[in-house]
């Protein structure tokens, strides 16, 4: 009897891990179509500005980033960039790039970190949605898995978090 209970717990744990892997795989693979089909590139205007700001942050450090006057933005006037934007996206990307390069020894370009940032966060959003729903519905794991699966493939969320869409909406959702 004790062996059957431990076997059921083991099978249940393995099944949960497999379901999580499938949900995260669905969330990220749906957003990587443009990279697989074409190339790894930043899309549209705001993501290009965010990418330029992230490159400046990585190259010059956080203090200079906060005091950065960007003469290319709002041309011909320019703009004090550090004081007029939300730096969370850039600092998080810079931190991920720093960890990958300096601690894990993976020589990855900052552009690739920025392009793949939204698909990676979509997998994290699915996990967060699972735990949030599970907590709201009195530890109901089925409701958690369903909500994680739905957010992984929600078209409105996919359109804001495709690879190369390096904007605040990609991680804010």
């Amino acid at each position: 009897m004790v062996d059957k209970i431990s076997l059921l717990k083991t099978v249940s744990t393995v099944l949960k891990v497999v379901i999580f892997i499938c949900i995260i795989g669905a969330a990220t693979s749906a957003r990587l179509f443009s990279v697989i089909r074409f190339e790894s590139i930043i899309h549209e205007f705001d993501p290009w500005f965010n990418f330029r700001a992230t490159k400046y942050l990585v190259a010059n450090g956080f203090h200079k980033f906060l005091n950065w006057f960007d003469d290319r933005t709002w041309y011909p006037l320019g703009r004090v960039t550090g004081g007029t934007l939300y730096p969370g996206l850039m600092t998080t990307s810079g931190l991920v790039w720093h960890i990958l390069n300096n601690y894990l020894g993976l020589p990855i370009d900052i552009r690739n970190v920025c392009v793949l940032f939204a698909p990676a966060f979509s997998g994290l959003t699915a996990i967060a949605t699972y735990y949030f729903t599970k907590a709201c519905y009195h530890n109901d794991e089925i409701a958690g898995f369903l909500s994680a699966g739905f957010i992984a493939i929600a078209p409105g969320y996919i359109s804001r978090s495709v690879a190369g869409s390096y904007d605040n909406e990609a991680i804010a959702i």
Side-chain angles (χ1 to χ4, degrees):
M1 186 69 173
V2 174
D3 293 329
K4 288 183 181 181
I5 292 173
S6 65
L7 180 64
L8 283 175
K9 286 184 179 181
T10 304
V11 168
S12 174
T13 303
V14 168
L15 188 59
K16 288 177 193 175
V17 169
V18 168
I19 292 171
F20 265 129
I21 290 171
C22 290
I23 288 172
I24 293 169
T28 55
S29 64
R31 290 157 174 86
L32 292 176
F33 180 76
S34 64
V35 172
I36 293 169
R37 177 76 186 215
F38 302 107
E39 64 178 316
S40 175
I41 192 166
I42 303 283
H43 302 284
E44 301 190 24
F45 301 111
D46 285 348
W48 270 107
F49 168 75
N50 293 332
F51 170 61
R52 279 188 40 247
T54 305
K55 276 186 7 180
Y56 187 87
L57 171 70
V58 167
N60 298 308
F62 189 70
H63 181 68
K64 285 190 177 181
F65 174 71
L66 289 179
N67 297 315
W68 176 37
F69 180 81
D70 186 12
D71 58 350
R72 293 185 195 174
T73 306
W74 296 350
Y75 186 79
L77 300 174
R79 165 180 148 189
V80 179
T81 306
T84 60
L85 59 78
Y86 300 113
L89 178 70
M90 294 86 178
T91 54
T92 307
S93 301
L95 181 67
V96 168
W97 177 84
H98 182 72
I99 289 171
L100 289 173
N101 276 296
N102 297 334
Y103 292 111
L104 298 179
L106 297 172
I108 189 166
D109 186 37
I110 188 65
R111 181 182 53 85
N112 288 325
V113 170
C114 295
V115 167
L116 300 175
F117 205 64
F121 263 78
S122 68
L124 295 175
T125 300
I127 292 171
T129 303
Y130 165 80
Y131 283 113
F132 180 71
T133 306
K134 183 180 166 187
C136 287
Y137 285 94
H138 309 291
N139 280 338
D140 187 2
E141 292 182 340
I142 294 173
F145 282 125
L146 283 173
S147 64
F150 287 142
I151 197 68
I153 60 170
Y157 183 41
I158 289 176
S159 70
R160 289 300 198 177
S161 60
V162 294
S165 178
Y166 184 61
D167 208 353
N168 291 326
E169 292 94 4
I171 64 169
I173 296 174

